[in-house]
Each structure stands twice: as C-alpha cells, then as structure tokens.
Amino acid sequence: MKMTFRWYGDDDPVTLEKIRQIPGMVGIVSAIYDIPVGEAWPLEKIMELKGKIEAHGLTLEVIESVPVHEDIKLGLPTRDKYIDNYKKTIENLGKAGVKVVCYNFMPVFDWTRSELDHRLDDGSTALIYDRETVEKMNPLSGELNLPGWDTSYEENELEDLLKQYNNLSEEGLWNNLEYFLKEIIPVAEESNVKMAIHPDDPPWSIFGLPRIITSEENLERFLKLVDNSYNGLTLCSGSLGVSKDNDIPRIVRKFGKRIHFAHMRNVKITEDKSFEEAAHPSKYGSLDMVEILRAYHEVGFDGPMRPDHGRMIWGETGKPGYGLFDRALGATYLYGIWETLVKTKK
Ligand code: DNO
C-alpha cells in the first residue's frame, strides 16, 4: 500500500511542504484544475504538475479526477468529440508515467451533502447528509452550496442540463457508460493507465437523477462491461459505506485486484439515508476500519490509498472535508494499522 494525500494545486492552503511532513506519506493525488471539462490535457501541463510534486520528494500517484463531460453521460451525438479528447488525456498521462486515473459517472452533481459545517459534540465540524433536507432542496434555487459541485454553470444552463436528463433512465446511463468504456479502456491499456471509477456519493438517486455505481451488484456489472484489469475501481469506503447493504470488507475481498485506488473514510449512519462524516477511527462511525484494511492486506493491495475527508479541528478553516489536520491524523491512523498488519503477518 502506498499512502497518498489529495492536493488541490497551488491554491491549496495545505501545501506540499506540509503534506510531506505527514509520517508515511509518499504520494500525491491531484489534477489540473484550469482546463474546461471535455478538453484534452496537454502533456506540458501534466509534466509541470509532476515536476512540482517531485521537487517536494513526493510522487504523482493518481489523477483525481479527469472529469467526464455531461454529453458523454447523456449519450449525445457530440460525445465522440469529448471521448477523443478523453483518450488524448489518458495517452498524455501515460506518457508522463501516471498509473491511475480516478473519475466518476454521476450525472451533474458529484458528492452531495446537506450541511458542510455541522458541529459535533467534541466541537469539531463535519459534513453531514440529512435525507429530508436534501429532499427539500431545489438545485435550481441558486442557493445550493455543495462541496463537489461545478458552480460555473451560466444562467439557465443547469436547468437545461437537468431537463436533458429527464429522459435518461438508469439503463440508459448504463448504456452510455458501456459505450464510453469500450472506447477508452483499450487506450488506457495501451498507455498503461488504470482507470478507477469512483462510486456515487451518496449511492442513491438524488434530485431525480439516475445513479448506478452504488452497490456490490452494480460494481460487478460495471466490471463485466469491459472485463479487463484496466477497467477498475476506486473503492471509497465512505461513499458505499453509508448504505448498510454494502459490506466494505467483503467488497474489497471480492474485487481485490480490480481495485486500483483506495479511499479510506469512516461514516456514521444516523438514520436510513442520513449520515455524518466521522473521524477515521472505527469507534466514531459505522465502519470497521481495521477489518477493511485487513481485507486490503489479504488481497495483497499494493496501490495508492488516501485518507478521505476530515473534520475541521483545532480552528482550521478551508475546503470542506479537505483540511490538513484531521486528514493527517487519519493517514497516521491508517498507516499504524497497516504496519501492524504487515508485521503480524503469519
Ligand atoms: C470527494 C471526492 C469526489 C471524487 C470524485 C471522483 O471528496 O471523493 O469528488 O473525487 O467523485 O471523480
């Protein structure tokens, strides 16, 4: 396992200097943030990113994410142009030596929460998802503040986009995903870049939009769409783990070698379809983190892993879920468990 940390580039207050000082840290998960979705990433820009990271004694392990243009998810005739650009990006990432690309196939909204700074009993703040609150939200009200959301939509653009999805069922989305994979996976294999889809967060439909990367059964269906190891998973414990039906250690053991990137985060299920993000240790949430890591260890996982969202603690302010302190604590907790597993291996 290689311990990694997400870095949002030059504007991230959590600098590479700081990340490097976290015990056990070897790699960075990052992306190029100033290229519009759908355009190809030039090799020079990728090399520049890689150079900056390496100058700090770290390696660029994963790109999270190369976003997928909505026209591809919608299956519009214009998708081929965007798929060609996506292939070009994969080729360039391969030339730069990047081995893993994380992406998702969630229509319009990426990860969604109802509150970004919910105060927990210990005084820290965390992201939470309350089913009733989300059900009452109107994505067109202009007041939504979602952490994983592209806010660059012009007036009416979002409305039009949501309308286009009115006619797309889950099966339609599966078809569009299959079309995309059949095009890009051969290029990924040729470029030696492993594609790792991120599960939908939360793993159920929101705002009436279809979501399909949600369960063990659907992950299996996904992997069979193109049965090639370059078509793999980002296994995000927190995204899938908010549904009691998803047994994360079992999923890790089942899909083992097809998992190319591990996101480790604990979540506390408060009610059906409601949850709070929690500190990483098992005691604070609904997931057994030791058992999940044991499963990774058993399947011989040697890929990148990162602590996922942290709470805001010790007065830190910053990007929701992506401060330094709690994620660093998470990383060392994970690292400690891993060291124990390695050393006690019979
Ligand atoms: C949230 C992240 C997601 C993830 C994308 C992958 O913290 O896990 O935004 O990066 O869904 O494409």
Side-chain angles (χ1 to χ4, degrees), residues 116-188:
L116 307 184
D117 54 358
H118 178 79
R119 194 157 293 278
L120 302 178
D121 289 344
D122 63 4
S124 62
T125 61
L127 294 107
I128 64 163
Y129 183 101
D130 177 62
R131 182 175 57 86
E132 273 181 39
T133 312
V134 175
E135 280 171 2
K136 281 190 214 128
M137 281 177 169
N138 172 10
L140 294 175
S141 69
E143 289 157 7
L144 277 196
N145 180 12
L146 303 175
W149 192 35
D150 176 359
T151 46
S152 64
Y153 292 112
E154 307 279 336
E155 224 189 318
N156 297 333
E157 210 182 348
L158 180 61
E159 194 170 351
D160 291 345
L161 185 58
L162 290 173
K163 266 195 206 131
Q164 297 189 66
Y165 274 103
N166 278 344
N167 304 319
L168 190 73
S169 62
E170 281 187 8
E171 283 310 308
L173 190 60
W174 276 112
N175 289 338
N176 298 341
L177 177 55
E178 181 170 5
Y179 182 98
F180 173 64
L181 293 175
K182 290 203 160 132
E183 289 286 327
I184 63 154
I185 297 301
V187 177

Side-chain angles (χ1 to χ4, degrees), residues 6 8 64-66 102-104 106 110-111 148 198-199 201 236 239 263 265 306 308-309 322:
R6 194 170 194 180
Y8 278 97
E64 177 178 355
S65 314
V66 180
C102 170
Y103 68 103
N104 73 74
M106 287 176 254
D110 191 329
W111 60 306
H198 188 285
D201 182 358
C236 177
S239 301
H263 281 187
R265 160 162 75 84
R306 69 167 179 83
D308 205 356
H309 312 160
Y322 285 96

Side-chain angles (χ1 to χ4, degrees), residues 89-113:
T89 299
I90 294 174
E91 280 166 3
N92 285 343
L93 289 169
K95 282 184 197 150
V98 171
K99 297 278 181 301
V100 180
V101 167
C102 170
Y103 68 103
N104 73 74
F105 216 73
M106 287 176 254
V108 194
F109 302 99
D110 191 329
W111 60 306
T112 300
R113 299 289 182 270

